[in-house]
Amino acid sequence: ALFAQMFESLYSCLDLDGTDAVNCTELAVGLTFFCSGSKSAKLARAFDLMGSSGGNQHMSSPSSQSSSPIITNHELARYFRSYLAMLVGLSQTTLSDPNDRSRVTLTRQDMYCAIHNGSEWTMSHVLSSRGEISFEQFAEWYTDGGFNVAPWLELLDLKKFTSLLNDTPEIATEDDSSTVLTQPTEPPNTDVMFTFPLAKGNSLIVLKDDVIYVRKVVHQLGLTKISPDAIWDALKAYPTMTNAQFVNTVCSLLAHNNVRVDN
């Protein structure tokens, strides 16, 4: 199926112990990267999924359906891990030239360390001593400077992300006017669009090839026509999913939305 390698790569970044069983909530959160909606809307819906649909009910007011979930430190780390896995998996997908020694494919252990340490480090900068947080508190933290701790969350705005290419037509998404992404001045490698420090010497590097690939995915798969809720509805039947189940489910969802998924 078209782009099946990308979905498999995302899956492998979340299958940290190699058991071929990944929590469907983390998969759904990671896939919101490509979905419709603004950055803020995606973050809010994914937060809700992690706090309630993910199996742990931590609602601030059970009597109100509009209440924001309160998530624990463990759930917040999973929240960040889902997005980091998506970005790392995307980067691994674009490693198409085995002779290019400047881009080395990470081992499973390397990916685990980078994603796990990055998510735990980011989580440690957010939580108060209570060990839990609501989305309103998270949004306040991000606006008040958290974007400096987790600037890679800005990539959820696909319009900003793909506009890094001078020849990129704008993608129709709801506008987020908060933080502006800027390219590094005089990058050591002209193919490097961003370098985001994570933890313990690791960095999340976004290359020009990654941006080009995202643009290709967005235009050819049409995921921006699919909401995070539609992703969750397709995945929630499984507490955990195998790689094959995940790829087949996503491809079926795309086909149901009249998106061509064959080669």
Side-chain angles (χ1 to χ4, degrees), residues 10 29 42 67 77 81 84-85 105 153 160 166 190 227-228 238:
L10 165 61
V29 170
K42 292 178 185 180
S67 298
R81 186 173 69 201
L84 282 174
T105 303
L153 287 176
K160 291 180 182 178
N166 293 330
T190 56
S227 69
Y238 307 91

Side-chain angles (χ1 to χ4, degrees), residues 39-40 154 157 160 174-180:
K39 176 199 70 185
S40 298
E154 289 296 314
D157 185 340
K160 291 180 182 178
E174 299 174 42
D175 185 46
D176 255 327
S177 58
S178 53
T179 305
V180 177

Side-chain angles (χ1 to χ4, degrees), residues 93-122:
T93 303
T94 61
L95 295 173
S96 57
D97 185 0
N99 297 317
D100 185 356
R101 299 301 180 183
S102 66
R103 305 186 68 189
V104 180
T105 303
L106 296 175
T107 65
R108 182 181 296 275
Q109 186 62 31
D110 290 335
M111 287 191 294
Y112 169 82
C113 290
I115 295 169
H116 175 77
N117 292 335
S119 59
E120 292 286 337
W121 179 81
T122 306

Side-chain angles (χ1 to χ4, degrees), residues 242-263:
T242 66
N243 193 345
Q245 285 176 325
F246 174 60
V247 174
N248 291 337
T249 300
V250 174
C251 289
S252 296
L253 174 65
L254 294 171
H256 179 72
N257 284 269
N258 298 317
V259 177
R260 185 168 167 254
V261 293
D262 57 312
N263 286 318

